[in-house]
Amino acid sequence: MDAGSFPKQNGTFPPPRLPCASRQETALTMKIFLLMSISCLMAPLVIGEEQEGFVEDSLLFLTDSRSEHVVLSLRKEMSLSDLTLCLRFNTELRTKHSLFSYNTRDLLLAREDDRTMRVSIGGKELRFRLPADLWGWVHVCVARDASAGLVALYINGEPTVRKQLQSAPTITMSGSVILGHEQDKIGQESSYVGEMVDVNLYDRVLSPRTIRRLARGESEAQGNVISWLTASIQTKGNVVIQRSTRVQ
């Protein structure tokens, strides 16, 4: 059809109409472009991954930096005299790193070096000697018996020598716990690198038999202060949630 067959509007010819299929393709292309643009704009706003409850997943801390950590929210306030803290970790690090930190040093579990674990309860510190050649998945528990003034550390279900810790105050748990970094050292010291699962905190002293069964995977008794199956966490930095490599 020549231009003379189109009616003139104000002395000019109107543009030819697109076929229906062409108009639909153009609209679809515009929608895709807008969605991609929105995704690019939103990406920098993502600050971490959130999850509530773990069954077969673990936390994977990927980078040796000064900022990677996980915030674990506590559901209710509790005061602890007796307590047992347990978790399982897998790392190649043989240098200083923190596993669990609450309110700076009210409750802290950290590794000083290849052979030393540091425990802080109510601001008072103890150091425990670790077994040699500690590789792969490690189950660790620290139990405080307030009435006896004793603290025990268990590695893979086996106790180290108990140490005396007298006059340590009752710990009031509220707010949040930091995993993979010491709470007052974020941005200053290197973070933990490796995997972590089965973080549980109890308001009582677990028996050696129960701790041994937990270490062997023969029991899944969950903590009543922190329970791994219902834990609410948010990752900060290069920390991801993946299917655990631990085999029962």
Side-chain angles (χ1 to χ4, degrees), residues 54 57-61 70 72 86-91 97-101 109 137-138 140 177-181 192-199 228 239-242 244-246:
F54 296 82
D57 292 337
S58 67
L59 298 171
L60 181 55
F61 299 75
V70 169
L72 190 155
C86 297
L87 59 85
R88 207 180 297 268
F89 68 95
N90 187 359
T91 183
H97 57 272
S98 174
L99 297 168
F100 182 105
S101 176
L109 181 63
W137 281 106
V138 177
V140 56
V177 165
I178 301 299
L179 303 178
H181 222 305
Y192 170 74
V193 179
E195 294 190 58
M196 189 182 302
V197 296
D198 298 341
V199 181
W228 187 244
V239 184
V240 297
I241 300 168
Q242 290 288 317
S244 178
T245 59
R246 185 178 73 86

Side-chain angles (χ1 to χ4, degrees), residues 226-247:
I226 295 173
S227 167
W228 187 244
L229 292 182
T230 60
S232 177
I233 67 99
Q234 183 177 34
T235 64
K236 302 288 187 178
N238 197 12
V239 184
V240 297
I241 300 168
Q242 290 288 317
R243 180 66 62 89
S244 178
T245 59
R246 185 178 73 86
V247 179

Side-chain angles (χ1 to χ4, degrees), residues 49-147:
E49 188 173 359
E50 295 184 6
Q51 181 160 322
E52 185 168 330
F54 296 82
V55 179
E56 296 181 345
D57 292 337
S58 67
L59 298 171
L60 181 55
F61 299 75
L62 293 168
T63 308
D64 181 8
S65 78
R66 299 177 184 270
S67 59
E68 270 69 16
H69 64 281
V70 169
V71 179
L72 190 155
S73 300
L74 299 171
R75 297 182 178 277
K76 58 183 178 181
E77 182 176 311
M78 293 189 72
S79 295
L80 304 179
S81 295
D82 291 345
L83 63 88
T84 305
L85 168 65
C86 297
L87 59 85
R88 207 180 297 268
F89 68 95
N90 187 359
T91 183
E92 294 181 350
L93 290 179
R94 293 297 177 265
T95 54
K96 183 178 179 180
H97 57 272
S98 174
L99 297 168
F100 182 105
S101 176
Y102 170 70
N103 197 20
T104 307
R105 291 177 182 82
D106 265 3
L107 185 56
L108 173 71
L109 181 63
R111 198 165 177 178
E112 288 287 283
D113 52 42
D114 191 29
R115 296 295 305 276
T116 309
M117 187 73 78
R118 178 164 56 106
V119 174
S120 179
I121 299 176
K124 295 180 179 292
E125 291 191 351
L126 295 171
R127 283 169 172 78
F128 292 85
R129 192 72 169 162
L130 296 174
D133 301 323
L134 205 59
W135 292 94
W137 281 106
V138 177
H139 184 266
V140 56
C141 286
V142 56
R144 176 204 183 185
D145 185 335
S147 60

